[in-house]
């Protein structure tokens, strides 16, 4: 029997580190009856933090999927005749920027999001990153301000920050009754009643109270704000609003909020304290009320692999099957699990699907519903659902799985570039093979982990998103795969760029009897155009302009020239780092009837890049990080002095309670070991967060140092 799709919600929970994502997920599982005892993160008992490393550190590393059912609507938390069972797929995502790809791929397959904020800290750097990711995939979201019971909690401050820093139209649906230790409930601005949760039932049920007298003014003001925000969205409501604002019914308000939320026009804001079991229940009600089901979102858009035409699939079990694999995980017992979201159609366990990237048919031997790291087998999966499959021979993150007779390619996800590398080598001969296997599995699981071999030293270089990311990877190799390895110091991932555009003519001539090689290209090389970069943000930043005319070079050789320049970009002319943003314009040249072939032109382009690149004022770019330090007042001077020594650019300071928040941009090369240094400066009281911001030209002394280090590695190709 098919499930009613309008009662399904695929949601994620995303936020900055320590905003309470996992604690909130744990509460949701308790309220929906999936677990009978609440596990706490700090005790290492949370359901979705199942990895050893997660339990030890108290952080989330991989996104975990769980499913549950929630009864809605209820009367004071108790079901009645109108209550329906809503089916939730929830993904708990990590908060550390090092694991940002976990959030990225979850966003790609979700229909809605609960964005958590800490009531004390407000909008933090990672909150901004998560928000940008949600905007990229146009995910509707609800804001939930957690930790209202903590000292310094301020709901309206956070609402204001969401407006200013994230540029979203945040509209409060509730106001807290009391704050900090006195936080006991909320006033619902739609019902105009107070809600107090019963501690005896762990907040399962609640009672309603009239609006407290001392809050009436504030409540009326924010209610008017809410009605005005939703009335803007619906003309009928606008008329009612001007005639008599009180004539607008609850159902009309809910409907208008839902429309505006799905349209990304507003972000409804709620508050509570997950740890104290307050507010999560109303947030779940809001998910049912305002966030879209698979039916409410636009039809899934894909392209036909043969013709390149756009195709649409409706979220319906009758449509041809189409799904996107968004995460690969290796389980010690069942082998490789591929998590996928089914967008259309129906798939039975044991049947075949086509992997469009590899062009092969794969048999899905079993389909599982995941509950953190436990698998529950199911017979089939239908449109709108999320599950994991076993039985794949070959699969990567972002592959499209579809019906063999109705091919479609779904949009892949954005994978950020790594910023830091570390060299690893096996300790003993026995570890060599094990290490190769371990790395192959880890790369398969984690698309942000890149591996290459240094040609000169023969070392394996792992590149990732940050120190913590690489630390976890090395730790997993030791524990899961039992590989003993030595690791080097972390290295920064520099890039190169050209400063000016120059013209050049490159001729390749090799004639030694018999068929020779001949190619002649005239081209200009330099930085890519700003307009082009703005129009192609996700491309490899290689702009190729073909200005050949009159048959000076036959057009069948143009792809070879393009390929020659594009492959050269991976090793720059200064110190062998990848080149960022390059434009090549080929405008003339010549060829030989016999000696010219595609290979000749490709080699000619590579040689031309080497020679011309040196004249085009190449510069070394270094990654700049966005750093935020929260410190008590007395250490302010020491912290800022230390950031200045690290070539930091201070961007602003503001205060949160009795703490100072310092924002700065600092080169990554200066940030190694910063956390330890900061602890010793502030007696362990200051904390910092860091995420990648952009690339900037490195100062001459730094550039010379890096080039001298890499001198022996870049060989001029003869």
């Amino acid at each position: 029997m098919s499930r009613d799709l309008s009662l399904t919600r695929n949601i994620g929970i995303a936020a900055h580190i320590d905003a309470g994502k996992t604690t909130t997920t744990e509460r949701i599982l308790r309220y929906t009856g999936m677990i009978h005892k609440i596990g706490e993160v700090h005790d290492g008992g949370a359901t979705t933090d199942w990895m050893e490393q997660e339990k030890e550190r108290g952080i989330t590393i991989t996104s975990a999927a769980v499913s549950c059912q929630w009864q809605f609507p209820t009367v004071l938390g108790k079901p009645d005749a109108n209550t329906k069972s809503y089916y939730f797929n929830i993904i708990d995502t990590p908060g550390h920027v090092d694991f940002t790809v976990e959030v990225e791929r979850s966003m790609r397959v979700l229909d809605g999001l609960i964005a958590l904020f800490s009531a004390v800290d407000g909008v933090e750097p990672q909150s901004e990153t998560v928000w940008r990711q949600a905007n990229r995939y146009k995910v509707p979201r609800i804001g939930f301000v957690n930790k209202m019971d903590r000292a310094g909690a301020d709901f309206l401050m956070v609402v204001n920050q969401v407006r200013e820093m994230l540029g979203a139209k945040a509209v409060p649906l509730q106001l807290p009754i009391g704050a900090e230790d006195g936080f006991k409930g909320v006033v619902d601005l739609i019902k105009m009643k107070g809600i107090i949760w019963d501690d005896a039932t762990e907040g399962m049920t609640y009672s309603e109270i009239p609006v407290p007298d001392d809050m009436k003014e504030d409540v009326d003001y924010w209610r008017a704000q809410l009605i005005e925000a939703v009335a803007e969205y619906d003309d009928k409501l606008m008329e009612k609003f001007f005639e008599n604002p009180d004539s607008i019914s609850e159902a009309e308000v809910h409907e208008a909020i839902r429309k505006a939320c799905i349209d990304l026009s507003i972000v409804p804001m709620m508050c509570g304290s997950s740890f104290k079991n307050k507010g999560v229940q109303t947030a779940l009600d809001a998910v049912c009320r305002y966030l879209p089901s698979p039916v409410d979102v636009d039809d899934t858009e894909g392209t036909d692999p043969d013709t390149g035409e756009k195709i649409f699939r409706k979220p319906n079990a009758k449509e041809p099957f189409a799904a996107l694999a968004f995460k690969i995980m290796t389980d010690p017992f069942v082998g490789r699990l591929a998590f996928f979201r089914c967008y259309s159609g129906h798939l039975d366990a044991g049947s075949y699907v086509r992997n469009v990237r590899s062009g092969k048919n794969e048999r899905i031997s079993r389909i599982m519903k995941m509950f953190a790291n436990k698998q529950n087998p199911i017979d089939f999966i239908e449109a709108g659902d999320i599950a994991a499959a076993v039985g794949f021979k070959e699969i990567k993150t972002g592959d499209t799985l579809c019906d063999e007779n109705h091919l479609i390619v779904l949009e892949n996800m954005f994978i950020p570039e790594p910023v830091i590398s570390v060299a690893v080598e096996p300790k003993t001969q026995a570890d060599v093979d094990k290490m190769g296997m371990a790395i192959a599995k880890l790369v398969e699981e984690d698309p942000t982990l890149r591996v290459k071999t240094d040609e000169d030293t023969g070392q394996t270089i792992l590149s990732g998103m940050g120190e913590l990311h690489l630390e976890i990877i090395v730790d997993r190799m030791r524990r899961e795969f039992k590989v003993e390895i030595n690791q080097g110091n972390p290295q920064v991932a520099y890039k190169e760029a050209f400063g000016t555009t120059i013209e050049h003519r490159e001729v390749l001539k090799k004639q030694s009897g018999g068929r020779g090689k001949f190619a002649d290209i005239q081209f200009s090389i330099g930085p890519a155009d700003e307009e082009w970069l703005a129009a192609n943000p996700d491309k490899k930043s290689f702009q190729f302009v073909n200005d050949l005319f009159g048959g000076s070079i036959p057009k069948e050789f143009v792809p070879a020239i393009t390929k020659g320049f594009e492959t050269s970009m991976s090793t720059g002319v200064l110190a062998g780092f990848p080149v960022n943003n390059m434009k090549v314009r080929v405008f003339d040249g010549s060829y030989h009837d016999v000696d010219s072939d595609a290979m000749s032109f490709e080699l000619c382009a590579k040689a031309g890049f080497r020679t011309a690149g040196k004249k085009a004022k190449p510069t070394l770019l270094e990654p700049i990080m966005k750093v935020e330090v929260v410190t008590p007042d007395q250490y302010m001077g020491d912290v800022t002095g230390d950031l200045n020594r690290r070539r930091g650019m201070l961007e602003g300071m503001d205060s949160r309670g009795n703490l100072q928040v310092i924002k700065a941009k600092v080169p990554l090369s200066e940030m190694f070991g910063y956390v330890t240094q900061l602890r010793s400066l502030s007696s362990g009281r200051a904390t910092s967060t860091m995420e990648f911001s952009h690339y900037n030209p490195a100062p001459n002394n730094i550039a010379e140092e890096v080039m001298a280090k890499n001198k022996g590695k870049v060989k001029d190709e003869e």
Side-chain angles (χ1 to χ4, degrees), residues 679-710:
R679 279 185 193 145
S680 56
L681 283 176
S682 64
S683 317
R685 288 171 65 192
T687 56
S688 71
T689 52
M690 169 169 94
E691 64 172 318
F692 173 71
S693 165
H694 62 284
Y695 273 92
N696 239 8
N700 285 344
N701 58 332
I702 302 283
E704 279 166 14
E705 218 172 281
V706 173
M707 280 152 59
K709 243 185 221 168
N710 288 18

Coordinates of all heavy atoms in Angstrom, one line a residue, residues 679-710:
R679 N 44.3 28.7 24.0 CA 44.0 28.2 25.3 C 45.0 28.7 26.3 O 44.7 29.2 27.4 CB 44.1 26.7 25.3 CG 42.8 26.1 24.8 CD 42.8 24.6 24.9 NE 41.7 24.0 24.2 CZ 41.7 22.9 23.5 NH1 42.8 22.1 23.6 NH2 40.7 22.4 22.9
S680 N 46.3 28.7 25.9 CA 47.3 29.1 26.9 C 47.3 30.6 27.1 O 47.5 31.1 28.2 CB 48.7 28.7 26.5 OG 49.0 29.2 25.2
L681 N 46.8 31.4 26.1 CA 46.7 32.9 26.2 C 45.6 33.2 27.2 O 45.7 34.2 27.9 CB 46.4 33.6 24.9 CG 47.6 33.7 23.9 CD1 47.1 34.3 22.6 CD2 48.6 34.7 24.5
S682 N 44.5 32.4 27.1 CA 43.3 32.8 27.9 C 43.0 31.9 29.0 O 41.8 31.9 29.5 CB 42.1 32.8 26.9 OG 41.9 31.5 26.4
S683 N 43.9 31.1 29.5 CA 43.7 30.1 30.5 C 42.6 29.2 30.2 O 41.8 28.8 31.1 CB 43.5 30.8 31.9 OG 44.3 31.9 32.1
G684 N 42.5 28.9 28.9 CA 41.5 27.9 28.5 C 40.1 28.5 28.4 O 39.1 27.7 28.3
R685 N 39.9 29.8 28.5 CA 38.5 30.3 28.5 C 38.0 30.8 27.2 O 36.8 31.1 27.0 CB 38.4 31.4 29.5 CG 38.5 30.9 31.0 CD 38.6 31.9 32.0 NE 37.4 32.8 32.1 CZ 37.4 33.9 32.7 NH1 38.5 34.3 33.4 NH2 36.3 34.7 32.7
A686 N 38.9 31.1 26.2 CA 38.5 31.6 24.9 C 38.3 30.4 24.0 O 38.9 29.4 24.0 CB 39.5 32.5 24.3
T687 N 37.4 30.6 23.0 CA 37.1 29.6 22.0 C 37.2 30.2 20.6 O 37.0 31.4 20.5 CB 35.7 28.9 22.1 OG1 34.8 30.1 22.1 CG2 35.5 28.2 23.4
S688 N 37.5 29.4 19.6 CA 37.6 30.0 18.3 C 36.9 29.0 17.3 O 36.9 27.8 17.5 CB 39.0 30.2 17.9 OG 39.7 29.0 17.6
T689 N 36.4 29.6 16.2 CA 35.9 28.8 15.1 C 36.6 29.4 13.8 O 36.8 30.6 13.7 CB 34.4 28.8 14.9 OG1 34.0 30.2 14.9 CG2 33.7 28.2 15.9
M690 N 36.7 28.5 12.9 CA 37.4 28.9 11.6 C 36.8 28.2 10.4 O 36.5 27.1 10.5 CB 38.9 28.5 11.8 CG 39.7 28.6 10.6 SD 41.5 28.4 11.0 CE 41.7 26.7 10.8
E691 N 36.6 29.0 9.4 CA 36.2 28.4 8.1 C 36.8 29.1 6.9 O 37.2 30.2 7.0 CB 34.6 28.4 8.0 CG 34.0 29.7 7.9 CD 32.5 29.6 7.6 OE1 32.2 28.8 6.8 OE2 31.8 30.3 8.3
F692 N 36.8 28.4 5.8 CA 37.5 28.9 4.6 C 36.7 30.2 4.1 O 35.5 30.2 4.1 CB 37.6 27.8 3.6 CG 38.1 28.3 2.2 CD1 39.4 28.7 2.1 CD2 37.2 28.5 1.2 CE1 39.9 29.1 0.9 CE2 37.7 29.0 -0.1 CZ 39.0 29.3 -0.2
S693 N 37.5 31.2 3.7 CA 36.8 32.4 3.2 C 37.1 32.6 1.7 O 36.2 32.5 0.9 CB 37.3 33.6 4.0 OG 36.9 34.8 3.3
H694 N 38.4 32.8 1.4 CA 38.7 33.0 -0.1 C 40.3 32.8 -0.3 O 41.0 32.6 0.7 CB 38.3 34.4 -0.5 CG 39.0 35.5 0.3 ND1 38.7 35.8 1.5 CD2 40.1 36.3 0.0 CE1 39.5 36.8 2.0 NE2 40.3 37.1 1.1
Y695 N 40.7 33.0 -1.5 CA 42.2 32.9 -1.8 C 42.7 34.4 -2.0 O 42.0 35.2 -2.6 CB 42.4 32.1 -3.1 CG 42.6 30.6 -2.8 CD1 41.6 29.8 -2.8 CD2 43.8 30.1 -2.4 CE1 41.7 28.4 -2.5 CE2 44.0 28.8 -2.1 CZ 43.0 27.9 -2.2 OH 43.1 26.6 -1.9
N696 N 43.9 34.7 -1.5 CA 44.5 36.0 -1.7 C 45.9 35.8 -2.1 O 46.6 34.9 -1.8 CB 44.4 36.7 -0.3 CG 43.7 38.0 -0.4 OD1 43.0 38.2 -1.4 ND2 43.7 38.8 0.6
P697 N 46.5 36.8 -2.9 CA 47.9 36.7 -3.3 C 48.8 36.7 -2.0 O 48.6 37.5 -1.1 CB 48.2 38.0 -4.1 CG 46.8 38.4 -4.6 CD 45.8 38.0 -3.6
A698 N 49.7 35.7 -2.0 CA 50.6 35.6 -0.8 C 51.7 36.7 -0.9 O 52.1 37.1 -2.0 CB 51.3 34.3 -0.8
P699 N 52.1 37.3 0.3 CA 53.2 38.3 0.2 C 54.5 37.7 -0.3 O 54.7 36.4 -0.3 CB 53.4 38.6 1.7 CG 52.4 38.0 2.5 CD 51.6 37.0 1.6
N700 N 55.4 38.5 -0.9 CA 56.6 38.0 -1.6 C 57.4 37.0 -0.8 O 57.8 36.0 -1.2 CB 57.4 39.2 -2.0 CG 56.8 39.9 -3.2 OD1 55.9 39.3 -3.8 ND2 57.2 41.1 -3.5
N701 N 57.7 37.4 0.5 CA 58.6 36.6 1.3 C 58.0 35.2 1.5 O 58.7 34.2 1.5 CB 58.9 37.2 2.7 CG 57.6 37.5 3.5 OD1 56.5 37.7 2.9 ND2 57.7 37.5 4.8
I702 N 56.6 35.1 1.7 CA 56.0 33.8 1.9 C 56.1 33.0 0.6 O 56.4 31.8 0.6 CB 54.5 34.0 2.3 CG1 54.4 34.8 3.6 CG2 53.8 32.6 2.4 CD1 54.8 34.1 4.9
A703 N 55.8 33.7 -0.5 CA 55.8 33.1 -1.8 C 57.1 32.5 -2.2 O 57.3 31.4 -2.6 CB 55.3 34.1 -2.9
E704 N 58.2 33.3 -1.8 CA 59.5 32.8 -2.1 C 59.9 31.6 -1.3 O 60.5 30.6 -1.8 CB 60.5 33.9 -1.8 CG 60.6 34.9 -3.1 CD 61.3 36.2 -2.7 OE1 62.0 36.2 -1.7 OE2 61.2 37.2 -3.4
E705 N 59.5 31.6 -0.1 CA 59.7 30.4 0.8 C 59.0 29.2 0.3 O 59.7 28.1 0.2 CB 59.1 30.8 2.2 CG 59.9 30.3 3.4 CD 59.3 30.9 4.7 OE1 59.5 32.0 5.0 OE2 58.5 30.1 5.3
V706 N 57.8 29.3 -0.1 CA 57.0 28.1 -0.6 C 57.6 27.6 -1.9 O 57.8 26.4 -2.2 CB 55.5 28.5 -0.9 CG1 54.8 27.4 -1.6 CG2 54.8 28.9 0.4
M707 N 58.1 28.6 -2.8 CA 58.7 28.2 -4.1 C 60.0 27.5 -3.8 O 60.3 26.5 -4.5 CB 58.8 29.4 -5.0 CG 57.5 29.8 -5.7 SD 57.4 31.5 -6.1 CE 58.7 31.8 -7.1
A708 N 60.8 28.0 -2.9 CA 62.1 27.4 -2.6 C 61.9 26.0 -2.1 O 62.6 25.0 -2.5 CB 62.8 28.2 -1.6
K709 N 60.8 25.7 -1.3 CA 60.5 24.4 -0.7 C 60.2 23.4 -1.9 O 60.5 22.3 -1.9 CB 59.3 24.5 0.2 CG 59.6 24.1 1.6 CD 58.4 24.1 2.4 CE 58.6 24.7 3.8 NZ 57.4 24.9 4.5
N710 N 59.4 24.0 -2.9 CA 58.9 23.1 -3.9 C 59.8 23.1 -5.2 O 59.5 22.6 -6.2 CB 57.5 23.5 -4.4 CG 56.5 23.2 -3.3 OD1 56.9 22.9 -2.2 ND2 55.3 23.1 -3.6

